[in-house]
Amino acid sequence: MDADLFISLFIAHIIGDFYLQTDHFCRQKAALKLKCRFLYLHSLTVGLLSWLLIPTSSFWLCFLIITVSHLTIDIIKVHLPHGLGSFCLDQLAHMAVLTAIATLFHTDITLPVQWVDVSPTFSAPRLLLAILICMKPANIFIKLVLEKYQVGESETCNDIKNAGALIGDLERLLTILFVLLRQFDAIGFIVAAKSLLRFKETDTAKTEYVLAGTFLSFGIAIACGLLVRGLA
């Protein structure tokens, strides 16, 4: 499999599926299903982003495959119950398509992600991919995991959820940085400091919510940091 090709496809997918798709559009898709125009526009956007990052005319068939497969997968998803299971199945199906294309498609052109891969110590495209994963996709995944296991369902947790998402973004970015710098002690310090801040919290639901979210957050960030370093 061509690693640069896969990273290009993955970046296009993450941007199109998460950053260019708002909660409002997702609710429209779930409510209107096949009648939702955004369902079709969204799939076309993902396909076009993929072609933009692999700018060769020979990619036209792969563009069609990505667009049609994305649309098909999303149509199936909107008919499934909302939750962690449908989210994971949806993303795994998309990844299977991208993996197949990265394995079967070959090109001799220099890809845009290769233009920025100038550092001998780390891969800039991998770093970009890790940052993209650690922001909105990670927040959605953590939220769905906590919902599935009914962590943080009490009303007292509502006031910290938005702040928790912002803090989670910052701590994951810092964790990636510390992994790249091989400062694993600093990661432990952040975890310990965050735990101490909640040590006197008498609300059990809040404590469980923060701890579960923290472990998930740092786990994702460390995995992404190791990905950038090429150790995972």
Side-chain angles (χ1 to χ4, degrees):
M1 182 177 69
D2 188 325
D4 289 322
L5 188 62
F6 180 74
I7 289 175
S8 299
L9 294 172
F10 203 170
I11 289 174
H13 170 75
I14 291 292
I15 293 174
D17 214 26
F18 291 94
Y19 293 93
L20 297 184
Q21 184 171 213
T22 65
D23 292 340
H24 172 67
F25 289 145
C26 290
R27 288 192 295 268
Q28 278 194 329
K29 286 165 58 177
L32 301 176
K33 295 182 170 55
L34 292 176
K35 295 180 181 180
C36 181
R37 289 179 293 178
F38 178 74
L39 183 66
Y40 306 94
L41 178 60
H42 168 67
S43 300
L44 180 61
T45 300
V46 174
L48 289 173
L49 282 172
S50 301
W51 204 345
L52 181 65
L53 292 183
I54 305 172
T56 173
S57 58
S58 60
F59 192 73
W60 69 269
L61 180 58
C62 295
F63 157 74
L64 290 177
I65 292 173
I66 291 172
T67 302
V68 174
S69 66
H70 199 102
L71 176 60
T72 303
I73 294 167
D74 277 11
I75 288 174
I76 294 173
K77 183 186 177 184
V78 297
H79 287 87
L80 295 175
H82 170 76
L84 179 64
S86 60
F87 174 84
C88 291
L89 288 174
D90 172 70
Q91 294 304 314
L92 286 173
H94 290 312
M95 288 302 103
V97 174
L98 300 185
T99 301
I101 292 175
T103 302
L104 299 175
F105 181 78
H106 301 284
T107 181
D108 295 327
I109 68 167
T110 301
L111 301 175
V113 294
Q114 295 173 315
W115 301 343
V116 298
D117 195 13
V118 294
S119 174
T121 57
F122 72 94
S123 169
R126 285 188 182 186
L127 177 59
L128 174 60
L129 179 58
I131 291 173
L132 289 173
I133 292 173
C134 276
M135 303 288 278
K136 190 173 180 180
N139 278 331
I140 292 174
F141 176 74
I142 292 171
K143 178 183 176 182
L144 290 173
V145 171
L146 297 179
E147 284 180 357
K148 177 177 175 60
Y149 294 100
Q150 299 180 339
V151 179
E153 292 297 310
S154 71
E155 294 183 2
T156 58
C157 294
N158 292 333
D159 60 338
I160 64 172
K161 287 185 177 181
N162 290 334
L166 174 60
I167 294 171
D169 286 342
L170 295 175
E171 69 189 18
R172 286 190 293 274
L173 291 177
L174 284 173
T175 300
I176 290 176
L177 174 63
F178 290 143
V179 170
L180 293 179
L181 296 175
R182 300 177 186 271
Q183 298 296 319
F184 293 100
D185 291 344
I187 299 174
F189 174 78
I190 295 177
V191 177
K194 190 172 181 181
S195 300
L196 285 173
L197 288 174
R198 289 289 173 180
F199 183 74
K200 295 183 179 180
E201 179 63 68
T202 58
D203 191 326
T204 303
K206 277 188 179 181
T207 302
E208 291 177 348
Y209 178 79
V210 170
L211 288 178
T214 297
F215 287 131
L216 285 168
S217 182
F218 279 102
I220 293 171
I222 291 172
C224 288
L226 292 174
L227 171 67
V228 177
R229 282 179 49 187
L231 299 178

